[in-house]
Amino acid sequence: MFGGDRLSRLGAFSPQFPDADALHKGLAHWNHYRLSPEAPSADWRDAIARERLMKEVEGEFIEAFRAHVAPLVETVPKEAEAFVSWFEALKDHGPGQWDPLFDWLQGAASLEDIKWFLTQEAAGEAGFDDLVALTQVKIPDRAKLELARNYWDEMGRGSAKGMHGPMLSRTTATLGLTPTIDTTLWQSLCLANTMTAFATTRRYAWHSVGALGVVELTAPGRVTCVDAGLKRVGVSPEARKYFALHAHLDVEHSKAWNTEALLPLVAEDPMRARYIAEGAVMRLICGEQCFETYRAHLWAHARPLVYAAE
């Protein structure tokens, strides 16, 4: 197996989806279709049948993934402050943290290497803003307000130029990247599919809160490295703006998310701790699989040269 294969056997495989690559490309194409605004059509019954099939495919994968991480969250604290402390420790000890890929992107990767990496990372159908918007539906008020504040930041606080999604799109366009589902590694699609499943399925709402929160917690160090790498290879400050912004903003977002969302949600219902923890760990494992696979691709030629220099 090429790169990260920890999740390659999770899910209900079939002649239509015989392996992880087919499964996650199928889910990614379905997510693209179902999240895109459409006009009414005469084949709406066929769309419902397709929805039922794909929701079952999605559910089988997520439930297998939950069973996979169950031993990792068995002892998660249910007292709110203790849980937040456990959650914050994921920054240092969670799966995929301090992966050597990012030091390499910062200090040694070529422009083409970084462009390949960013093309893989751009595969997600729903941006962070959309995932937050979908997650906040009917959650308790204090947490809902924090997600609203986070969303408003993602929306550039009402300024089109400050919107984070289009900011990233401008980076993609400036670098000439053309991400597509069929040219993206399944590990990257798996990450996007997992986040979309959490945010669009109400039985996974608390998983989504945990997954989104752990992104805010762990992303700053990684985006700092990417920003520094882009600067090193000559990419303009305007094209790097998305990464430079998130290197600092996500630190504050994480503090607020933990205090205003996680703490009151677990204090109100300690059973939520397990689901929030599952979502966070599942998101980190998805990232870990991506990083391992990216390294296997990018270092296939670059790493031997580094060793020779040493």
Side-chain angles (χ1 to χ4, degrees):
M1 184 63 66
F2 177 73
D5 67 348
R6 181 172 180 175
L7 308 181
S8 64
R9 295 173 179 83
L10 299 185
F13 299 109
S14 67
Q16 184 178 7
F17 303 119
D19 55 28
D21 185 70
L23 176 71
H24 288 290
K25 284 179 179 173
L27 284 171
H29 280 294
W30 172 59
N31 284 327
H32 173 77
Y33 168 77
R34 69 172 174 138
L35 293 176
S36 299
E38 297 282 346
S41 64
D43 64 351
W44 60 269
R45 292 182 180 84
D46 292 337
I48 291 176
R50 175 69 171 167
E51 180 91 1
R52 178 184 175 87
L53 168 66
M54 295 307 295
K55 289 296 285 184
E56 289 182 355
V57 170
E58 178 186 72
E60 292 285 359
F61 169 72
I62 294 296
E63 289 304 313
F65 199 170
R66 289 187 62 218
H68 180 74
V69 304
L72 302 178
V73 296
E74 282 180 347
T75 60
V76 167
K78 290 184 172 61
E79 191 279 322
E81 291 188 0
F83 174 76
V84 170
S85 295
W86 174 90
F87 188 91
E88 290 175 341
L90 292 172
K91 180 178 179 180
D92 293 319
H93 307 298
Q97 295 311 291
W98 314 111
D99 192 284
L101 172 68
F102 293 92
D103 284 341
W104 180 79
L105 289 171
Q106 177 175 344
S110 69
L111 175 59
E112 290 306 310
D113 290 331
I114 298 175
K115 287 170 66 175
W116 183 89
F117 163 78
L118 293 176
T119 301
Q120 295 297 314
E121 290 283 279
E125 191 57 42
F128 198 88
D129 53 346
D130 291 334
L131 296 172
V132 170
L134 290 163
T135 300
Q136 60 80 39
V137 176
K138 289 188 174 295
I139 68 172
D141 290 350
R142 184 173 166 188
K144 190 181 186 80
L145 284 169
E146 179 51 38
L147 269 63
R149 286 187 286 268
N150 189 291
Y151 178 79
W152 191 233
D153 280 348
E154 290 285 330
M155 290 292 99
R157 295 183 167 268
S159 168
K161 290 184 178 180
M163 292 173 65
H164 295 187
M167 193 183 297
L168 181 58
S169 296
R170 290 193 292 273
T171 299
T172 301
T174 299
L175 294 175
L177 310 184
T178 54
T180 67
I181 290 170
D182 291 325
T183 58
T184 299
L185 295 169
W186 74 259
Q187 289 88 347
S188 181
L189 298 176
C190 174
L191 187 157
N193 291 336
T194 299
M195 297 296 287
T196 302
F198 287 164
T200 58
T201 309
R202 298 318 290 160
R203 69 178 178 273
Y204 300 131
W206 311 127
H207 290 76
S208 192
V209 170
L212 292 168
V214 89
V215 172
E216 299 284 32
L217 178 72
T218 62
R222 295 194 296 271
V223 296
T224 296
C225 290
V226 174
D227 180 46
L230 287 168
K231 181 179 181 180
R232 176 179 53 78
V233 298
V235 175
S236 69
E238 182 61 26
R240 295 186 282 108
K241 187 175 180 180
Y242 175 87
F243 301 99
L245 174 66
H246 281 266
H248 303 287
L249 185 61
D250 285 356
V251 174
E252 298 306 316
H253 277 176
S254 178
K255 292 177 182 178
W257 193 284
N258 296 351
T259 301
E260 298 299 320
L262 300 189
L263 192 68
L265 287 174
V266 175
E268 181 180 76
D269 182 356
M271 291 302 296
R272 293 171 183 159
R274 173 67 178 257
Y275 308 132
I276 293 170
E278 285 182 359
V281 172
M282 289 164 75
R283 171 57 181 83
L284 290 179
I285 289 174
C286 285
E288 178 184 60
Q289 298 298 277
C290 288
F291 307 154
E292 290 180 4
T293 309
Y294 298 163
R295 279 192 277 108
H297 174 90
L298 291 165
W299 292 3
H301 65 281
R303 203 61 175 177
L305 297 178
V306 173
Y307 289 143
E310 292 173 349

